[in-house]
Amino acid sequence: MQSRTIFTQEVQHTNATLLRRVLLSNALFSLISGLAFIFAAGPIARFLGPTVPAWAVVAIGVSFLPFVYGVYWVASQDVIEPRYGRLITFMDFTWVLGSYLLLFLGWSLFNVAGRWFIGIQAEVIFLFGVLQIIGLRRLRN
């Protein structure tokens, strides 16, 4: 019985490798983005558009930090709980939807470079979400 449990844990660990790597990459990307938004808020705000306030960029950067901690915590567990992976994926897709909604509703707030920046960042996060879904499906097998 114990050998079966050990085998099951090894299979789960092997199946969780993709999900773990994607979650760690997501945490790293979010950490770098958050720190850049905090410490370079002025230049980033000017890059996004002439009417974008630096305080908003700082607020977004600060809001990334609890997300980074949570994603890193989930990825560093011996056994990844699928419900946490689904929650993180949901949050990623919510961010993507919010980014495109921001572009749609605030088109005039951003210059061309800012629009591209927001769109590309949303697509990177979308890619994390898709890879996390693939990783979550591998956990079921």
Side-chain angles (χ1 to χ4, degrees):
M1 183 70 171
Q2 184 170 352
S3 64
R4 183 175 180 91
T5 304
I6 292 171
F7 177 74
T8 304
Q9 288 175 342
E10 287 178 14
V11 168
Q12 199 278 344
H13 181 73
T14 303
N15 289 344
T17 302
L18 173 65
L19 181 59
R20 188 177 316 279
R21 287 181 181 164
V22 174
L23 289 172
L24 289 172
S25 299
N26 191 344
L28 180 62
F29 179 78
S30 298
L31 178 64
I32 291 169
S33 298
L35 292 176
F37 283 16
I38 292 168
F39 294 111
I44 291 173
R46 286 189 298 277
F47 177 78
L48 293 173
T51 61
V52 176
W55 65 264
V57 175
V58 171
I60 292 169
V62 169
S63 73
F64 281 11
L65 300 181
F67 177 77
V68 169
Y69 175 77
V71 173
Y72 180 78
W73 180 81
V74 169
S76 64
Q77 299 301 303
D78 289 336
V79 176
I80 296 177
E81 287 290 329
R83 65 180 175 201
Y84 295 141
R86 288 190 298 271
L87 177 62
I88 292 166
T89 303
F90 175 77
M91 292 169 70
D92 284 340
F93 287 133
T94 302
W95 178 269
V96 172
L97 181 64
S99 296
Y100 283 110
L101 191 60
L102 177 67
L103 283 175
F104 179 73
L105 296 175
W107 188 261
S108 63
L109 297 174
F110 306 104
N111 57 29
V112 173
R115 290 180 203 129
W116 275 100
F117 179 81
I118 293 168
I120 290 171
Q121 190 176 41
E123 291 302 312
V124 169
I125 295 167
F126 180 79
L127 179 62
F128 284 138
V130 169
L131 291 173
Q132 287 161 187
I133 287 172
I134 294 169
L136 285 164
R137 287 189 177 172
R138 285 186 181 180
L139 280 182
R140 284 193 249 158
N141 297 336

PDB file of all heavy atoms in Angstrom, residues 64-98:
ATOM      1  N   PHE A  64       0.557  43.937  -7.316  1.00  0.00           N
ATOM      2  CA  PHE A  64       1.156  42.704  -7.830  1.00  0.00           C
ATOM      3  C   PHE A  64       1.808  41.884  -6.720  1.00  0.00           C
ATOM      4  O   PHE A  64       1.887  40.657  -6.817  1.00  0.00           O
ATOM      5  CB  PHE A  64       2.227  43.012  -8.873  1.00  0.00           C
ATOM      6  CG  PHE A  64       1.712  43.338 -10.243  1.00  0.00           C
ATOM      7  CD1 PHE A  64       0.377  43.575 -10.488  1.00  0.00           C
ATOM      8  CD2 PHE A  64       2.592  43.420 -11.303  1.00  0.00           C
ATOM      9  CE1 PHE A  64      -0.078  43.886 -11.747  1.00  0.00           C
ATOM     10  CE2 PHE A  64       2.144  43.716 -12.574  1.00  0.00           C
ATOM     11  CZ  PHE A  64       0.817  43.950 -12.802  1.00  0.00           C
ATOM     12  N   LEU A  65       2.313  42.529  -5.685  1.00  0.00           N
ATOM     13  CA  LEU A  65       3.134  41.834  -4.694  1.00  0.00           C
ATOM     14  C   LEU A  65       2.398  40.723  -3.944  1.00  0.00           C
ATOM     15  O   LEU A  65       2.957  39.623  -3.814  1.00  0.00           O
ATOM     16  CB  LEU A  65       3.768  42.850  -3.745  1.00  0.00           C
ATOM     17  CG  LEU A  65       4.679  43.883  -4.446  1.00  0.00           C
ATOM     18  CD1 LEU A  65       5.269  44.837  -3.420  1.00  0.00           C
ATOM     19  CD2 LEU A  65       5.762  43.209  -5.273  1.00  0.00           C
ATOM     20  N   PRO A  66       1.177  40.925  -3.463  1.00  0.00           N
ATOM     21  CA  PRO A  66       0.480  39.783  -2.837  1.00  0.00           C
ATOM     22  C   PRO A  66       0.210  38.648  -3.832  1.00  0.00           C
ATOM     23  O   PRO A  66       0.266  37.474  -3.467  1.00  0.00           O
ATOM     24  CB  PRO A  66      -0.841  40.387  -2.332  1.00  0.00           C
ATOM     25  CG  PRO A  66      -0.649  41.855  -2.328  1.00  0.00           C
ATOM     26  CD  PRO A  66       0.408  42.157  -3.334  1.00  0.00           C
ATOM     27  N   PHE A  67      -0.076  39.006  -5.073  1.00  0.00           N
ATOM     28  CA  PHE A  67      -0.289  37.991  -6.115  1.00  0.00           C
ATOM     29  C   PHE A  67       0.991  37.171  -6.303  1.00  0.00           C
ATOM     30  O   PHE A  67       0.941  35.940  -6.364  1.00  0.00           O
ATOM     31  CB  PHE A  67      -0.713  38.658  -7.424  1.00  0.00           C
ATOM     32  CG  PHE A  67      -0.892  37.704  -8.559  1.00  0.00           C
ATOM     33  CD1 PHE A  67      -2.024  36.909  -8.657  1.00  0.00           C
ATOM     34  CD2 PHE A  67       0.071  37.591  -9.549  1.00  0.00           C
ATOM     35  CE1 PHE A  67      -2.191  36.019  -9.703  1.00  0.00           C
ATOM     36  CE2 PHE A  67      -0.081  36.711 -10.605  1.00  0.00           C
ATOM     37  CZ  PHE A  67      -1.216  35.921 -10.676  1.00  0.00           C
ATOM     38  N   VAL A  68       2.124  37.855  -6.383  1.00  0.00           N
ATOM     39  CA  VAL A  68       3.409  37.163  -6.553  1.00  0.00           C
ATOM     40  C   VAL A  68       3.644  36.195  -5.408  1.00  0.00           C
ATOM     41  O   VAL A  68       4.009  35.035  -5.623  1.00  0.00           O
ATOM     42  CB  VAL A  68       4.568  38.185  -6.650  1.00  0.00           C
ATOM     43  CG1 VAL A  68       5.915  37.499  -6.545  1.00  0.00           C
ATOM     44  CG2 VAL A  68       4.475  38.984  -7.937  1.00  0.00           C
ATOM     45  N   TYR A  69       3.407  36.676  -4.191  1.00  0.00           N
ATOM     46  CA  TYR A  69       3.610  35.803  -3.025  1.00  0.00           C
ATOM     47  C   TYR A  69       2.704  34.574  -3.096  1.00  0.00           C
ATOM     48  O   TYR A  69       3.151  33.453  -2.858  1.00  0.00           O
ATOM     49  CB  TYR A  69       3.361  36.577  -1.725  1.00  0.00           C
ATOM     50  CG  TYR A  69       3.437  35.689  -0.515  1.00  0.00           C
ATOM     51  CD1 TYR A  69       4.667  35.278  -0.012  1.00  0.00           C
ATOM     52  CD2 TYR A  69       2.283  35.219   0.098  1.00  0.00           C
ATOM     53  CE1 TYR A  69       4.742  34.440   1.084  1.00  0.00           C
ATOM     54  CE2 TYR A  69       2.346  34.371   1.196  1.00  0.00           C
ATOM     55  CZ  TYR A  69       3.581  33.991   1.683  1.00  0.00           C
ATOM     56  OH  TYR A  69       3.654  33.147   2.757  1.00  0.00           O
ATOM     57  N   GLY A  70       1.439  34.788  -3.408  1.00  0.00           N
ATOM     58  CA  GLY A  70       0.492  33.677  -3.476  1.00  0.00           C
ATOM     59  C   GLY A  70       0.853  32.668  -4.554  1.00  0.00           C
ATOM     60  O   GLY A  70       0.809  31.453  -4.312  1.00  0.00           O
ATOM     61  N   VAL A  71       1.205  33.145  -5.725  1.00  0.00           N
ATOM     62  CA  VAL A  71       1.557  32.240  -6.822  1.00  0.00           C
ATOM     63  C   VAL A  71       2.826  31.462  -6.473  1.00  0.00           C
ATOM     64  O   VAL A  71       2.907  30.246  -6.687  1.00  0.00           O
ATOM     65  CB  VAL A  71       1.725  33.013  -8.150  1.00  0.00           C
ATOM     66  CG1 VAL A  71       2.244  32.101  -9.247  1.00  0.00           C
ATOM     67  CG2 VAL A  71       0.406  33.649  -8.559  1.00  0.00           C
ATOM     68  N   TYR A  72       3.814  32.162  -5.911  1.00  0.00           N
ATOM     69  CA  TYR A  72       5.047  31.479  -5.526  1.00  0.00           C
ATOM     70  C   TYR A  72       4.769  30.435  -4.445  1.00  0.00           C
ATOM     71  O   TYR A  72       5.308  29.333  -4.497  1.00  0.00           O
ATOM     72  CB  TYR A  72       6.101  32.485  -5.045  1.00  0.00           C
ATOM     73  CG  TYR A  72       7.383  31.808  -4.630  1.00  0.00           C
ATOM     74  CD1 TYR A  72       8.278  31.364  -5.600  1.00  0.00           C
ATOM     75  CD2 TYR A  72       7.677  31.572  -3.297  1.00  0.00           C
ATOM     76  CE1 TYR A  72       9.443  30.709  -5.242  1.00  0.00           C
ATOM     77  CE2 TYR A  72       8.831  30.918  -2.929  1.00  0.00           C
ATOM     78  CZ  TYR A  72       9.712  30.492  -3.904  1.00  0.00           C
ATOM     79  OH  TYR A  72      10.856  29.829  -3.546  1.00  0.00           O
ATOM     80  N   TRP A  73       3.924  30.784  -3.481  1.00  0.00           N
ATOM     81  CA  TRP A  73       3.590  29.842  -2.407  1.00  0.00           C
ATOM     82  C   TRP A  73       2.941  28.585  -2.977  1.00  0.00           C
ATOM     83  O   TRP A  73       3.295  27.470  -2.595  1.00  0.00           O
ATOM     84  CB  TRP A  73       2.676  30.520  -1.381  1.00  0.00           C
ATOM     85  CG  TRP A  73       2.305  29.618  -0.262  1.00  0.00           C
ATOM     86  CD1 TRP A  73       3.054  29.320   0.839  1.00  0.00           C
ATOM     87  CD2 TRP A  73       1.104  28.858  -0.147  1.00  0.00           C
ATOM     88  NE1 TRP A  73       2.374  28.421   1.638  1.00  0.00           N
ATOM     89  CE2 TRP A  73       1.174  28.125   1.054  1.00  0.00           C
ATOM     90  CE3 TRP A  73      -0.032  28.729  -0.936  1.00  0.00           C
ATOM     91  CZ2 TRP A  73       0.154  27.277   1.476  1.00  0.00           C
ATOM     92  CZ3 TRP A  73      -1.045  27.894  -0.505  1.00  0.00           C
ATOM     93  CH2 TRP A  73      -0.938  27.170   0.684  1.00  0.00           C
ATOM     94  N   VAL A  74       1.983  28.759  -3.890  1.00  0.00           N
ATOM     95  CA  VAL A  74       1.303  27.600  -4.491  1.00  0.00           C
ATOM     96  C   VAL A  74       2.313  26.747  -5.262  1.00  0.00           C
ATOM     97  O   VAL A  74       2.323  25.516  -5.146  1.00  0.00           O
ATOM     98  CB  VAL A  74       0.151  28.059  -5.413  1.00  0.00           C
ATOM     99  CG1 VAL A  74      -0.388  26.902  -6.241  1.00  0.00           C
ATOM    100  CG2 VAL A  74      -0.966  28.690  -4.596  1.00  0.00           C
ATOM    101  N   ALA A  75       3.174  27.382  -6.044  1.00  0.00           N
ATOM    102  CA  ALA A  75       4.142  26.648  -6.870  1.00  0.00           C
ATOM    103  C   ALA A  75       5.195  25.935  -6.036  1.00  0.00           C
ATOM    104  O   ALA A  75       5.759  24.931  -6.483  1.00  0.00           O
ATOM    105  CB  ALA A  75       4.811  27.597  -7.856  1.00  0.00           C
ATOM    106  N   SER A  76       5.472  26.433  -4.845  1.00  0.00           N
ATOM    107  CA  SER A  76       6.542  25.837  -4.041  1.00  0.00           C
ATOM    108  C   SER A  76       6.061  24.707  -3.137  1.00  0.00           C
ATOM    109  O   SER A  76       6.875  24.076  -2.453  1.00  0.00           O
ATOM    110  CB  SER A  76       7.219  26.922  -3.196  1.00  0.00           C
ATOM    111  OG  SER A  76       6.299  27.458  -2.278  1.00  0.00           O
ATOM    112  N   GLN A  77       4.770  24.430  -3.121  1.00  0.00           N
ATOM    113  CA  GLN A  77       4.248  23.320  -2.313  1.00  0.00           C
ATOM    114  C   GLN A  77       4.650  21.978  -2.932  1.00  0.00           C
ATOM    115  O   GLN A  77       4.817  21.870  -4.145  1.00  0.00           O
ATOM    116  CB  GLN A  77       2.720  23.408  -2.216  1.00  0.00           C
ATOM    117  CG  GLN A  77       2.216  24.664  -1.557  1.00  0.00           C
ATOM    118  CD  GLN A  77       2.739  24.817  -0.140  1.00  0.00           C
ATOM    119  OE1 GLN A  77       2.550  23.949   0.697  1.00  0.00           O
ATOM    120  NE2 GLN A  77       3.408  25.935   0.120  1.00  0.00           N
ATOM    121  N   ASP A  78       4.799  20.966  -2.082  1.00  0.00           N
ATOM    122  CA  ASP A  78       5.137  19.630  -2.582  1.00  0.00           C
ATOM    123  C   ASP A  78       4.056  19.116  -3.525  1.00  0.00           C
ATOM    124  O   ASP A  78       4.355  18.516  -4.553  1.00  0.00           O
ATOM    125  CB  ASP A  78       5.318  18.652  -1.428  1.00  0.00           C
ATOM    126  CG  ASP A  78       6.598  18.933  -0.652  1.00  0.00           C
ATOM    127  OD1 ASP A  78       7.531  19.533  -1.229  1.00  0.00           O
ATOM    128  OD2 ASP A  78       6.656  18.566   0.534  1.00  0.00           O
ATOM    129  N   VAL A  79       2.798  19.334  -3.140  1.00  0.00           N
ATOM    130  CA  VAL A  79       1.663  18.927  -3.954  1.00  0.00           C
ATOM    131  C   VAL A  79       0.864  20.184  -4.272  1.00  0.00           C
ATOM    132  O   VAL A  79       0.410  20.873  -3.356  1.00  0.00           O
ATOM    133  CB  VAL A  79       0.776  17.893  -3.225  1.00  0.00           C
ATOM    134  CG1 VAL A  79      -0.445  17.559  -4.050  1.00  0.00           C
ATOM    135  CG2 VAL A  79       1.579  16.639  -2.906  1.00  0.00           C
ATOM    136  N   ILE A  80       0.717  20.477  -5.539  1.00  0.00           N
ATOM    137  CA  ILE A  80      -0.028  21.666  -5.949  1.00  0.00           C
ATOM    138  C   ILE A  80      -1.517  21.363  -5.884  1.00  0.00           C
ATOM    139  O   ILE A  80      -1.988  20.400  -6.491  1.00  0.00           O
ATOM    140  CB  ILE A  80       0.373  22.111  -7.367  1.00  0.00           C
ATOM    141  CG1 ILE A  80       1.839  22.533  -7.392  1.00  0.00           C
ATOM    142  CG2 ILE A  80      -0.519  23.246  -7.857  1.00  0.00           C
ATOM    143  CD1 ILE A  80       2.352  22.910  -8.763  1.00  0.00           C
ATOM    144  N   GLU A  81      -2.231  22.178  -5.144  1.00  0.00           N
ATOM    145  CA  GLU A  81      -3.683  22.038  -5.052  1.00  0.00           C
ATOM    146  C   GLU A  81      -4.310  22.572  -6.342  1.00  0.00           C
ATOM    147  O   GLU A  81      -4.106  23.744  -6.678  1.00  0.00           O
ATOM    148  CB  GLU A  81      -4.224  22.831  -3.863  1.00  0.00           C
ATOM    149  CG  GLU A  81      -3.923  22.212  -2.525  1.00  0.00           C
ATOM    150  CD  GLU A  81      -4.711  20.940  -2.286  1.00  0.00           C
ATOM    151  OE1 GLU A  81      -5.849  20.818  -2.796  1.00  0.00           O
ATOM    152  OE2 GLU A  81      -4.182  20.057  -1.592  1.00  0.00           O
ATOM    153  N   PRO A  82      -5.055  21.753  -7.070  1.00  0.00           N
ATOM    154  CA  PRO A  82      -5.665  22.213  -8.322  1.00  0.00           C
ATOM    155  C   PRO A  82      -6.576  23.430  -8.147  1.00  0.00           C
ATOM    156  O   PRO A  82      -6.620  24.287  -9.016  1.00  0.00           O
ATOM    157  CB  PRO A  82      -6.448  21.000  -8.809  1.00  0.00           C
ATOM    158  CG  PRO A  82      -5.781  19.832  -8.181  1.00  0.00           C
ATOM    159  CD  PRO A  82      -5.289  20.322  -6.856  1.00  0.00           C
ATOM    160  N   ARG A  83      -7.257  23.518  -7.015  1.00  0.00           N
ATOM    161  CA  ARG A  83      -8.167  24.663  -6.831  1.00  0.00           C
ATOM    162  C   ARG A  83      -7.393  25.974  -6.795  1.00  0.00           C
ATOM    163  O   ARG A  83      -7.873  26.991  -7.276  1.00  0.00           O
ATOM    164  CB  ARG A  83      -9.016  24.489  -5.590  1.00  0.00           C
ATOM    165  CG  ARG A  83      -8.233  24.493  -4.313  1.00  0.00           C
ATOM    166  CD  ARG A  83      -9.093  24.325  -3.100  1.00  0.00           C
ATOM    167  NE  ARG A  83      -8.199  24.216  -1.947  1.00  0.00           N
ATOM    168  CZ  ARG A  83      -8.526  23.702  -0.823  1.00  0.00           C
ATOM    169  NH1 ARG A  83      -9.730  23.220  -0.653  1.00  0.00           N
ATOM    170  NH2 ARG A  83      -7.666  23.649   0.168  1.00  0.00           N
ATOM    171  N   TYR A  84      -6.190  25.966  -6.231  1.00  0.00           N
ATOM    172  CA  TYR A  84      -5.377  27.182  -6.221  1.00  0.00           C
ATOM    173  C   TYR A  84      -4.875  27.503  -7.627  1.00  0.00           C
ATOM    174  O   TYR A  84      -4.807  28.668  -8.018  1.00  0.00           O
ATOM    175  CB  TYR A  84      -4.197  27.045  -5.263  1.00  0.00           C
ATOM    176  CG  TYR A  84      -4.588  26.907  -3.818  1.00  0.00           C
ATOM    177  CD1 TYR A  84      -3.898  26.051  -2.977  1.00  0.00           C
ATOM    178  CD2 TYR A  84      -5.656  27.635  -3.286  1.00  0.00           C
ATOM    179  CE1 TYR A  84      -4.250  25.914  -1.644  1.00  0.00           C
ATOM    180  CE2 TYR A  84      -6.011  27.505  -1.953  1.00  0.00           C
ATOM    181  CZ  TYR A  84      -5.302  26.644  -1.135  1.00  0.00           C
ATOM    182  OH  TYR A  84      -5.652  26.513   0.179  1.00  0.00           O
ATOM    183  N   GLY A  85      -4.518  26.471  -8.362  1.00  0.00           N
ATOM    184  CA  GLY A  85      -4.105  26.686  -9.751  1.00  0.00           C
ATOM    185  C   GLY A  85      -5.232  27.262 -10.588  1.00  0.00           C
ATOM    186  O   GLY A  85      -5.013  28.158 -11.416  1.00  0.00           O
ATOM    187  N   ARG A  86      -6.450  26.758 -10.369  1.00  0.00           N
ATOM    188  CA  ARG A  86      -7.611  27.301 -11.089  1.00  0.00           C
ATOM    189  C   ARG A  86      -7.884  28.742 -10.689  1.00  0.00           C
ATOM    190  O   ARG A  86      -8.220  29.577 -11.540  1.00  0.00           O
ATOM    191  CB  ARG A  86      -8.846  26.427 -10.844  1.00  0.00           C
ATOM    192  CG  ARG A  86      -8.789  25.092 -11.561  1.00  0.00           C
ATOM    193  CD  ARG A  86     -10.120  24.356 -11.513  1.00  0.00           C
ATOM    194  NE  ARG A  86     -10.536  24.018 -10.159  1.00  0.00           N
ATOM    195  CZ  ARG A  86     -10.213  22.898  -9.523  1.00  0.00           C
ATOM    196  NH1 ARG A  86      -9.468  21.987 -10.137  1.00  0.00           N
ATOM    197  NH2 ARG A  86     -10.638  22.659  -8.296  1.00  0.00           N
ATOM    198  N   LEU A  87      -7.724  29.066  -9.416  1.00  0.00           N
ATOM    199  CA  LEU A  87      -7.940  30.430  -8.948  1.00  0.00           C
ATOM    200  C   LEU A  87      -6.926  31.388  -9.582  1.00  0.00           C
ATOM    201  O   LEU A  87      -7.287  32.474 -10.046  1.00  0.00           O
ATOM    202  CB  LEU A  87      -7.852  30.495  -7.427  1.00  0.00           C
ATOM    203  CG  LEU A  87      -7.997  31.886  -6.805  1.00  0.00           C
ATOM    204  CD1 LEU A  87      -9.375  32.470  -7.109  1.00  0.00           C
ATOM    205  CD2 LEU A  87      -7.749  31.819  -5.303  1.00  0.00           C
ATOM    206  N   ILE A  88      -5.687  30.992  -9.620  1.00  0.00           N
ATOM    207  CA  ILE A  88      -4.648  31.827 -10.238  1.00  0.00           C
ATOM    208  C   ILE A  88      -4.940  32.003 -11.722  1.00  0.00           C
ATOM    209  O   ILE A  88      -4.822  33.110 -12.268  1.00  0.00           O
ATOM    210  CB  ILE A  88      -3.252  31.214 -10.009  1.00  0.00           C
ATOM    211  CG1 ILE A  88      -2.889  31.289  -8.527  1.00  0.00           C
ATOM    212  CG2 ILE A  88      -2.193  31.908 -10.863  1.00  0.00           C
ATOM    213  CD1 ILE A  88      -1.709  30.435  -8.129  1.00  0.00           C
ATOM    214  N   THR A  89      -5.348  30.941 -12.384  1.00  0.00           N
ATOM    215  CA  THR A  89      -5.683  31.019 -13.805  1.00  0.00           C
ATOM    216  C   THR A  89      -6.868  31.954 -14.023  1.00  0.00           C
ATOM    217  O   THR A  89      -6.858  32.775 -14.951  1.00  0.00           O
ATOM    218  CB  THR A  89      -5.981  29.616 -14.360  1.00  0.00           C
ATOM    219  OG1 THR A  89      -4.841  28.776 -14.120  1.00  0.00           O
ATOM    220  CG2 THR A  89      -6.283  29.652 -15.842  1.00  0.00           C
ATOM    221  N   PHE A  90      -7.876  31.857 -13.170  1.00  0.00           N
ATOM    222  CA  PHE A  90      -9.024  32.760 -13.249  1.00  0.00           C
ATOM    223  C   PHE A  90      -8.578  34.212 -13.080  1.00  0.00           C
ATOM    224  O   PHE A  90      -9.031  35.099 -13.808  1.00  0.00           O
ATOM    225  CB  PHE A  90     -10.067  32.383 -12.194  1.00  0.00           C
ATOM    226  CG  PHE A  90     -11.220  33.336 -12.132  1.00  0.00           C
ATOM    227  CD1 PHE A  90     -12.224  33.283 -13.084  1.00  0.00           C
ATOM    228  CD2 PHE A  90     -11.297  34.299 -11.134  1.00  0.00           C
ATOM    229  CE1 PHE A  90     -13.292  34.169 -13.053  1.00  0.00           C
ATOM    230  CE2 PHE A  90     -12.354  35.180 -11.083  1.00  0.00           C
ATOM    231  CZ  PHE A  90     -13.354  35.127 -12.045  1.00  0.00           C
ATOM    232  N   MET A  91      -7.691  34.456 -12.134  1.00  0.00           N
ATOM    233  CA  MET A  91      -7.187  35.807 -11.910  1.00  0.00           C
ATOM    234  C   MET A  91      -6.409  36.308 -13.127  1.00  0.00           C
ATOM    235  O   MET A  91      -6.518  37.484 -13.503  1.00  0.00           O
ATOM    236  CB  MET A  91      -6.324  35.851 -10.649  1.00  0.00           C
ATOM    237  CG  MET A  91      -7.123  35.622  -9.382  1.00  0.00           C
ATOM    238  SD  MET A  91      -6.118  35.347  -7.911  1.00  0.00           S
ATOM    239  CE  MET A  91      -5.413  36.956  -7.666  1.00  0.00           C
ATOM    240  N   ASP A  92      -5.644  35.435 -13.751  1.00  0.00           N
ATOM    241  CA  ASP A  92      -4.912  35.828 -14.961  1.00  0.00           C
ATOM    242  C   ASP A  92      -5.869  36.211 -16.080  1.00  0.00           C
ATOM    243  O   ASP A  92      -5.688  37.247 -16.737  1.00  0.00           O
ATOM    244  CB  ASP A  92      -3.991  34.693 -15.430  1.00  0.00           C
ATOM    245  CG  ASP A  92      -2.742  34.562 -14.576  1.00  0.00           C
ATOM    246  OD1 ASP A  92      -2.389  35.540 -13.892  1.00  0.00           O
ATOM    247  OD2 ASP A  92      -2.116  33.489 -14.601  1.00  0.00           O
ATOM    248  N   PHE A  93      -6.880  35.394 -16.310  1.00  0.00           N
ATOM    249  CA  PHE A  93      -7.835  35.708 -17.376  1.00  0.00           C
ATOM    250  C   PHE A  93      -8.648  36.957 -17.046  1.00  0.00           C
ATOM    251  O   PHE A  93      -9.011  37.714 -17.951  1.00  0.00           O
ATOM    252  CB  PHE A  93      -8.735  34.520 -17.682  1.00  0.00           C
ATOM    253  CG  PHE A  93      -8.026  33.412 -18.416  1.00  0.00           C
ATOM    254  CD1 PHE A  93      -8.164  32.096 -18.013  1.00  0.00           C
ATOM    255  CD2 PHE A  93      -7.221  33.683 -19.516  1.00  0.00           C
ATOM    256  CE1 PHE A  93      -7.509  31.070 -18.688  1.00  0.00           C
ATOM    257  CE2 PHE A  93      -6.565  32.664 -20.193  1.00  0.00           C
ATOM    258  CZ  PHE A  93      -6.704  31.360 -19.776  1.00  0.00           C
ATOM    259  N   THR A  94      -8.919  37.195 -15.774  1.00  0.00           N
ATOM    260  CA  THR A  94      -9.595  38.423 -15.369  1.00  0.00           C
ATOM    261  C   THR A  94      -8.717  39.631 -15.673  1.00  0.00           C
ATOM    262  O   THR A  94      -9.195  40.665 -16.141  1.00  0.00           O
ATOM    263  CB  THR A  94      -9.949  38.371 -13.865  1.00  0.00           C
ATOM    264  OG1 THR A  94     -10.769  37.235 -13.636  1.00  0.00           O
ATOM    265  CG2 THR A  94     -10.669  39.632 -13.429  1.00  0.00           C
ATOM    266  N   TRP A  95      -7.410  39.497 -15.439  1.00  0.00           N
ATOM    267  CA  TRP A  95      -6.472  40.577 -15.758  1.00  0.00           C
ATOM    268  C   TRP A  95      -6.476  40.863 -17.258  1.00  0.00           C
ATOM    269  O   TRP A  95      -6.490  42.020 -17.689  1.00  0.00           O
ATOM    270  CB  TRP A  95      -5.066  40.216 -15.287  1.00  0.00           C
ATOM    271  CG  TRP A  95      -4.070  41.277 -15.632  1.00  0.00           C
ATOM    272  CD1 TRP A  95      -3.309  41.363 -16.758  1.00  0.00           C
ATOM    273  CD2 TRP A  95      -3.751  42.423 -14.856  1.00  0.00           C
ATOM    274  NE1 TRP A  95      -2.540  42.489 -16.732  1.00  0.00           N
ATOM    275  CE2 TRP A  95      -2.788  43.157 -15.565  1.00  0.00           C
ATOM    276  CE3 TRP A  95      -4.178  42.898 -13.621  1.00  0.00           C
ATOM    277  CZ2 TRP A  95      -2.242  44.352 -15.082  1.00  0.00           C
ATOM    278  CZ3 TRP A  95      -3.631  44.078 -13.148  1.00  0.00           C
ATOM    279  CH2 TRP A  95      -2.682  44.785 -13.874  1.00  0.00           C
ATOM    280  N   VAL A  96      -6.462  39.812 -18.060  1.00  0.00           N
ATOM    281  CA  VAL A  96      -6.468  39.981 -19.516  1.00  0.00           C
ATOM    282  C   VAL A  96      -7.742  40.695 -19.958  1.00  0.00           C
ATOM    283  O   VAL A  96      -7.690  41.666 -20.738  1.00  0.00           O
ATOM    284  CB  VAL A  96      -6.321  38.615 -20.235  1.00  0.00           C
ATOM    285  CG1 VAL A  96      -6.521  38.760 -21.739  1.00  0.00           C
ATOM    286  CG2 VAL A  96      -4.962  38.002 -19.930  1.00  0.00           C
ATOM    287  N   LEU A  97      -8.867  40.242 -19.459  1.00  0.00           N
ATOM    288  CA  LEU A  97     -10.139  40.881 -19.795  1.00  0.00           C
ATOM    289  C   LEU A  97     -10.143  42.346 -19.358  1.00  0.00           C
ATOM    290  O   LEU A  97     -10.557  43.230 -20.118  1.00  0.00           O
ATOM    291  CB  LEU A  97     -11.296  40.121 -19.143  1.00  0.00           C
ATOM    292  CG  LEU A  97     -12.695  40.649 -19.427  1.00  0.00           C
ATOM    293  CD1 LEU A  97     -13.017  40.531 -20.911  1.00  0.00           C
ATOM    294  CD2 LEU A  97     -13.706  39.891 -18.597  1.00  0.00           C
ATOM    295  N   GLY A  98      -9.660  42.612 -18.151  1.00  0.00           N
ATOM    296  CA  GLY A  98      -9.579  43.982 -17.660  1.00  0.00           C
ATOM    297  C   GLY A  98      -8.649  44.848 -18.488  1.00  0.00           C
ATOM    298  O   GLY A  98      -8.933  46.032 -18.721  1.00  0.00           O
TER     299      GLY A  98
END
